[in-house]
Amino acid sequence: MTNLHRTIVRPVMTEKSSAAYQERREYTFEVAPQATKPAIREAIQTLFGVTVTGVWTANVRGKTRRVGKSVGRRADWKKAIVTLRDGDTIEVFEG
Amino acid sequence: MTIQITPKKATGVERLLEVSVPVDRVRAAEDRAAHRYASTVRLPGFRPGKAPAAVVRKKFAQAIRQQALEALVQEAYKEVIEQEHLTPAAQPHVHEVKFEDGKPLTFELHLELRPNVELARVTGFRATRNARPVNAAAVREQIDHVRDQRAAWTPVSEKPAPGDMVAVTLATLEGPASASGESAEGREYRLVLGGGQAIAGIEELIMEAVPGQTIERAVRWPDDFPDETQRGQTKTVRVTLNDVKRKSLPDLDDAFAREVGDFDSVAALTAAVREDMTKQATREADAEVRQRLIDEIISANPFDVPPSWVARLVDAYAESYKIPADDRAHFDTELRPVAERQVRRDLVVEAIAKRETLAATEAELDERIAEVAGQRKVSPSEIYASLEKAGRLREIEQSITEEKVFGWLLANNTITESGERE
């Protein structure tokens, strides 16, 4: 993974993720489906200039959506939750 | 930390204050605004109102600051009023707002205060009450006016005289009479002679004809004719007199009296007209003497009036007279003194009512409402409800107060009667 921005897609800002941040200092991102934990760690460390202490990932299955008769499905995506060394922060979550 | 207030200018009832709100107050207001915002705002990923304040603040920084600013100005205004013991006359104007991050909020507050109407002297003035006499001639004139309104027009077959209504066909033939032989299409007019509705020359021409006759002659247009291009011109006019109607006034007899209204005889009609006119004259004289007294009091007790009140009244006048926007500037300058006088008058009445405790009481209001109810033959509660609905209770209260104030003024000032009564 040479392209860091392709690894980390976007921070996830939802009720659940902001609660995780506020309670446990966990940062949630959407990442590329093929991204591995070491790649995610590497990408976050380089992008934000922090030290990552833990990476957890999950493949999120896209929800089925229907419009009238036609049934569709949202894309699957990969979620990564990372923790940082004490004192490090990532600005997007700071508010 | 408290708000700092620096007076900058004070003229008449106007005040210009510089207000400075300390940084910590500004921050607190921003926090409050952010929380308020967070409790209502909808963000994707969050249920309504569940987004953390920090996220909301980041996303809606501008709007939150605006809200905070509004809240701060309001708050500061309230505090200024309390601290300085001011009684504002109108909504304040805020200028020169400086609202930078991490700095105190400063702005200028432009206020108009309620004038302090001291009224050092309200008694001992002299005013003359000019009661206009209602004499027999005036009554007769009024009755004649009614007769005139009910006049019948009867056709006659002789030459018309001034005061007659004629139907004519008028045609203007260009050039001198001899040169033009052909006839132009005429237009039909109905007019009353002697009323200046037609050019004097044409009226004369009409009066020379008998019904059915056509006369043609050169007529000179007058030098003061509204259309400048036609002034002083001489044109041949052809007049065909179609019919003549003469006004016949109804006889002043009991039948006429019955027709006009519910009167049995001419005497009853005359008495009613006289009573009406007397009442009207009394009302006018009363209003005049009141105005004179107020004028005296105003000139003896000068005070400033808030310009915004005057402006508001001028607006109300313009509204009620339906003045077009183009004429507003002229209208405003004309009406400003009138409006200012009205504002002063109201303030003086209010001040006297307060000082002499002449304000209308609940009982007086009830009494007045009962009176109106009696006249209209409905229950007082109905009248009360309809007045309240229309928001006119206050108006009635004011008119009672005003009557009491003027009663008091008339009793405490010297009013001399003038003008002879019949």
Side-chain angles (χ1 to χ4, degrees), chain A residues 14-75:
Chain A
T14 63
E15 232 174 293
K16 190 174 179 179
S17 75
S18 61
Y21 167 71
Q22 273 168 4
E23 287 161 21
R24 302 182 292 276
R25 296 282 139 192
E26 290 171 357
Y27 296 85
T28 312
F29 294 91
E30 184 184 336
V31 295
Q34 317 84 339
T36 58
K37 283 182 182 177
I40 294 166
R41 176 189 296 267
E42 185 62 37
I44 297 225
Q45 293 194 146
T46 326
L47 266 177
F48 300 108
V50 290
T51 310
V52 172
T53 53
V55 180
W56 290 263
T57 59
N59 280 304
V60 184
R61 311 261 277 170
K63 294 175 181 176
T64 49
R65 289 283 159 194
R66 57 189 312 155
V67 181
K69 263 194 261 172
S70 50
V71 180
R73 194 146 170 274
R74 288 192 186 166

Side-chain angles (χ1 to χ4, degrees), chain A residues 13-15 18 22 92 94-95, chain B residues 45-47 50 52 54-55 58:
Chain A
M13 291 296 282
T14 63
E15 232 174 293
S18 61
Q22 273 168 4
V92 269
E94 289 302 306
Chain B
F46 298 90
R47 287 170 294 165
K50 294 286 181 184
V55 176
K58 195 168 178 190

Side-chain angles (χ1 to χ4, degrees), chain A residues 1 3-10 29-37 39-40 57-59 76-80:
Chain A
M1 279 289 154
N3 196 333
L4 302 174
H5 287 288
R6 224 171 263 166
T7 309
I8 309 295
V9 181
R10 64 170 75 90
F29 294 91
E30 184 184 336
V31 295
Q34 317 84 339
T36 58
K37 283 182 182 177
I40 294 166
T57 59
N59 280 304
D76 296 346
W77 58 285
K78 191 170 194 171
K79 173 156 80 178

Side-chain angles (χ1 to χ4, degrees), chain B residues 8-16 110-113 304-305 307:
Chain B
K8 283 191 86 179
K9 214 165 83 184
T11 45
V13 289
E14 291 178 74
R15 298 281 180 282
L16 191 65
H110 184 202
L111 285 169
E112 282 180 25
L113 306 182
D304 294 307
V305 292

Side-chain angles (χ1 to χ4, degrees), chain B residues 94-165:
Chain B
V94 176
H95 314 283
E96 305 279 332
V97 181
K98 289 201 190 90
F99 189 37
E100 286 161 37
D101 241 345
K103 280 191 185 166
L105 160 73
T106 60
F107 60 91
E108 278 182 9
L109 204 54
H110 184 202
L111 285 169
E112 282 180 25
L113 306 182
R114 278 187 75 88
N116 192 10
V117 185
E118 294 269 343
L119 299 188
R121 182 175 162 224
V122 288
T123 56
F125 293 109
R126 288 177 178 280
T128 318
R129 192 172 184 287
N130 283 326
R132 270 176 222 82
V134 177
N135 53 30
V139 174
R140 180 65 209 235
E141 200 178 302
Q142 183 60 32
I143 291 176
D144 283 346
H145 186 65
V146 177
R147 280 176 68 206
D148 197 56
Q149 281 174 343
R150 289 174 176 263
W153 295 93
T154 33
V156 290
S157 53
E158 51 193 270
K159 282 186 181 175
D164 287 352
M165 194 198 291

